[in-house]
Amino acid sequence: SQLLFYIGMFLSCMLAGSSLYRFGRKKSLMLLLFVECLSLGALIVVESYPMWLTARFFTGFSIGYFVVCQILIIEGLKVEFRNWVPRLQYGASFSIGADVAG
């Protein structure tokens, strides 16, 4: 099941970039949030293992909205603060190390 989750996440990350520009960022975000809600709801109520695996795949697929969210957040920031978003995203220890290293 973990493999299907990561396959879904991989495909979503590959398709997220093209869907952002084709359908718009907000529409893509709403669609992926809707897919995630459906797949997480399905994980709760399904009774067969193949359906659970399918829901698990779509849960991984819907993770692509993190790419959309990050782009929307970065676009809303001033230019001088945009380099801090990846540092905050990967944790305080990584950002402190990056600041020390230059």
Side-chain angles (χ1 to χ4, degrees), residues 71-98:
I71 291 171
L72 287 173
I73 290 169
I74 289 174
E75 283 183 348
L77 293 174
K78 292 182 179 181
V79 176
E80 58 266 13
F81 297 119
R82 289 184 182 178
N83 63 344
W84 283 95
V85 173
R87 293 179 184 175
L88 294 174
Q89 179 183 1
Y90 295 116
S93 62
F94 181 76
S95 66
I96 291 170

Side-chain angles (χ1 to χ4, degrees), residues 11 20 22 36 63 66-67 82 88 94-96:
L11 292 175
L20 292 177
R22 182 175 293 167
E36 184 172 21
I63 296 297
F66 285 118
V67 175
R82 289 184 182 178
L88 294 174
F94 181 76
S95 66
I96 291 170

Side-chain angles (χ1 to χ4, degrees), residues 16-84:
S18 62
S19 68
L20 292 177
Y21 294 108
R22 182 175 293 167
F23 303 115
R25 291 179 178 94
K26 290 182 183 179
K27 288 181 184 178
S28 298
L29 176 65
M30 291 299 138
L31 176 67
L32 288 170
L33 285 173
F34 181 72
V35 169
E36 184 172 21
C37 289
L38 285 178
S39 61
L40 288 173
L43 283 173
I44 295 170
V45 298
V46 296
E47 296 179 2
S48 67
Y49 187 66
M51 288 302 294
W52 188 80
L53 289 176
T54 304
R56 188 82 170 135
F57 171 79
F58 282 110
T59 303
F61 187 81
S62 64
I63 296 297
Y65 79 87
F66 285 118
V67 175
V68 180
C69 290
Q70 185 176 8
I71 291 171
L72 287 173
I73 290 169
I74 289 174
E75 283 183 348
L77 293 174
K78 292 182 179 181
V79 176
E80 58 266 13
F81 297 119
R82 289 184 182 178
N83 63 344
W84 283 95

